[in-house]
Structures are given as structure tokens and as C-alpha cells.
Amino acid sequence: MRLFIVLCALFSLNLSAEEQFPAWELPNTQVHQLPAQNTGRQYEVWVELPPSYGKTEKKFPVLFVSDANYAFPLIRSIRNRLGAGGQNIEDFVIVGLSYAKEDNPTDSRSLDYTPTNVLAKTKKPAKHLTAKAYGGAALYAEYLRQQVIPFVLNTYQVDPKRKLFVGHSYGGLLGAQILLTQPDTFDTYILSSPSLWFDNKTMFKLEQQYAANHKDLKAKVQLYAAEFEQLKPGPRYANRVSIVDDTLLFEKTLKSRNYPGLQIQSQIIADEDHLSVFPSMISRALVKLLPGYGPYTPG
């Protein structure tokens, strides 16, 4: 018996950590390789199917989420726990938009989620602009429209009229750009702490261009910001830009256009900052925008 134990111990020393301890995989998830044809950048599309998928002929709402490395497993967990099997939150398909394989997360999101190449405008970039490139959002949005969304609609049992987008920070900035350039890309936009400050608030200039050429904006928009995302003394308050002010101004400006097809609301979430707000934000957004069959139960 001792010899057997020793041999087992020696054998285990020759195995890699991955062989000894296999990785945990999230059930009901799928990964698709879907490189962008317009840029050659290598992306994956992550898909998670709700427990009721395939048990009914209904087509499910589909939620596309940026920054999938963080947000995809989080939203999955919140829906499966808070959703109470469809009672509190309607079951929906989650589509995670991964970072480009050739980039680290900062470089990938800075290029794909921002509207302009700010590095080309100055010889000395601001200290907070640390990525190697910016300004690829238009190409990334084209990739979503031409490849990702058609792939999802053709592959999965989802409702083409119930496409939701959620993005935080630069991801929210990306959502704002899509809203103001090709709003029919998604039906609902959940913009969390959007970086509307980017490049001297260039998104507000884009809004003016849209308003000058359009009489309607058909979309449901839910804006969120955190209480501490404003300029005040204190360790959790912002020290550079007020996302709260920008978010409220964005809402006010769009409401002033009186677009008949636009539904827009904002909420400032108490006792949260830029890093902490996302879980609280997405819980509120899902309960509000995808209510279950009810009655709501807190458990």
C-alpha cells in the first residue's frame, strides 16, 4: 500500500497543474471563433443558453455584452440567481464580446470601443491614455452588424426584435456611438457609466450631427452612473471627470429632441463608484427591462 501511494505521488509530480486540476467550465456555454473580416482582428463570441432554452418554441431575448472577460460570467450568475428561473427576470441568451486575441484587455477595448484616434491629435497624450491605439469603434460596430449579430440570429433561437446591448465605461461609449450612428443595430441600449468625456466630449458633437439629419431615434435607452462618479472631495469620488454630469446631460439633450420613437431614462446608483457599480447596475437593468412572469420574489 505504501509503494502504491508513493508511486501515485511520483506520478502526480510529472503531471502539469492543468492535468492534475482541470479547469472549471461554465455549463451551457459555447465559444465560437469569429475573426473580423474588415480588420483581420481575431475575436471569439461567447454564448450562454438559459436553462429553459430548447424546451419551448419561443424565441429568447438576446443580450450582447462588451468586456466579456468580466461581464459575461457575472451576468450569467446574476440572471441564474436573481432571475429565479424566469420568475424575476425573463430567460435570455447572453452573447459575450471578447477582446481581440492579439491584444491585452486595455489595448483591445481602447481601440475597439472609442470613436476617435486621440493619439494623432497630440504629441504628448494625457496620462490616462495608456493604450497603444484608439478610434476603431466604427469598424468594430461594422463587425458587430455584419458578422456577430447575423451569426447569432442564424444560429440560435433568439428574437431579432429583442436585441439588447450593455456596455460599461468605454463599452458604454461604444454603445452611445452605435446609438447615434446606426440605432437599429440594437433595440435596447444599457449604457453604464459611459465615457462621454472622451476626446473633449466628442459624442455630444456626434449627437448634434445626428439631430441635424434625423427626426426620430427609435430605441430604448437606459443610462446608469454611480454616485461617486462626480467631482467631490473624498477617496471614492472622481478626480478628473464627472460621469454623473455627462450622463445626465446626455439624457437631457436627447430628450430635448422630442424623438417620437425614443424612450430614455437615467438612474444614479447610490454608494457605488466606477469600479463597483456594474453588478448593482446590471441587476437593476435586468429586473426593469426583462421582467419575469412574476410575481417578483426576493427568495
Side-chain angles (χ1 to χ4, degrees):
M1 179 63 70
R2 289 182 178 176
L3 178 60
F4 176 75
I5 294 175
V6 171
L7 288 175
C8 287
L10 291 174
F11 176 72
S12 67
L13 291 175
N14 293 324
L15 296 176
S16 67
E18 293 179 352
E19 292 171 320
Q20 292 184 63
F21 311 109
W24 169 253
E25 295 182 359
L26 295 175
N28 298 323
T29 60
Q30 302 169 4
V31 177
H32 301 276
Q33 307 299 321
L34 200 63
Q37 296 173 355
N38 60 347
T39 62
R41 287 165 66 74
Q42 301 296 310
Y43 301 104
E44 293 178 343
V45 172
W46 304 349
V47 177
E48 198 272 350
L49 305 176
S52 61
Y53 187 90
K55 298 178 182 179
T56 174
E57 294 184 357
K58 70 163 285 187
K59 291 189 175 182
F60 291 81
V62 54
L63 179 75
F64 296 81
V65 57
S66 63
D67 293 296
N69 296 43
Y70 167 73
F72 179 84
L74 177 64
I75 293 176
R76 175 186 178 277
S77 296
I78 289 175
R79 188 211 56 202
N80 290 350
R81 175 62 172 168
L82 177 60
Q87 183 171 348
N88 293 342
I89 298 171
E90 182 180 359
D91 273 350
F92 59 92
V93 172
I94 307 171
V95 176
L97 306 173
S98 80
Y99 299 128
K101 291 183 178 181
E102 58 267 36
D103 284 344
N104 62 49
T106 296
D107 285 340
S108 182
R109 68 195 306 272
S110 296
L111 175 59
D112 291 336
Y113 299 172
T114 61
T116 53
N117 180 11
V118 289
L119 299 183
K121 298 182 178 183
T122 177
K123 294 182 179 179
K124 187 177 181 180
K127 292 182 179 180
H128 63 274
L129 298 174
T130 60
K132 63 183 180 182
Y134 296 85
L139 289 172
Y140 187 73
E142 180 185 352
Y143 162 67
L144 296 181
R145 284 181 64 91
Q146 299 299 322
Q147 291 185 248
V148 177
I149 294 175
F151 171 79
V152 171
L153 295 182
N154 292 331
T155 306
Y156 293 97
Q157 190 177 318
V158 296
D159 188 342
K161 295 182 180 180
R162 301 185 70 192
K163 304 185 301 295
L164 298 87
F165 172 87
V166 58
H168 177 74
S169 194
Y170 274 180
L173 179 67
L174 169 67
Q177 173 162 340
I178 296 174
L179 173 69
L180 295 173
T181 52
Q182 295 177 308
D184 63 339
T185 302
F186 301 100
D187 306 285
T188 300
Y189 292 80
I190 305 169
L191 308 183
S192 171
S193 304
S195 299
L196 301 173
W197 53 264
F198 187 84
D199 192 9
N200 296 316
K201 302 186 181 184
T202 190
M203 200 53 56
F204 287 93
K205 300 174 184 176
L206 187 61
E207 188 282 327
Q208 291 177 347
Q209 295 173 13
Y210 184 90
N213 294 287
H214 298 83
K215 295 182 178 181
D216 199 4
L217 177 57
K218 296 180 180 181
K220 180 181 291 185
V221 181
Q222 185 65 46
L223 299 165
Y224 291 97
E227 175 189 2
F228 292 114
E229 291 182 307
Q230 50 187 316
L231 299 173
K232 290 184 178 182
R236 294 188 69 187
Y237 282 104
N239 55 23
R240 189 173 55 85
V241 296
S242 177
I243 288 178
V244 168
D245 289 346
D246 290 345
T247 300
L248 294 177
L249 178 60
F250 192 64
E251 177 193 25
K252 180 180 179 181
T253 302
L254 286 175
K255 281 184 174 180
S256 72
R257 305 302 184 186
N258 296 314
Y259 296 124
L262 177 65
Q263 301 177 52
I264 184 169
Q265 290 184 330
S266 67
Q267 182 178 357
I268 308 303
I269 301 178
D271 199 33
E272 302 287 359
D273 57 43
H274 193 69
L275 296 179
S276 70
V277 71
F278 191 87
S280 180
M281 177 282 302
I282 195 62
S283 296
R284 286 167 167 78
L286 294 178
V287 169
K288 180 176 183 177
L289 298 172
L290 291 174
Y293 56 79
Y296 184 91
T297 173

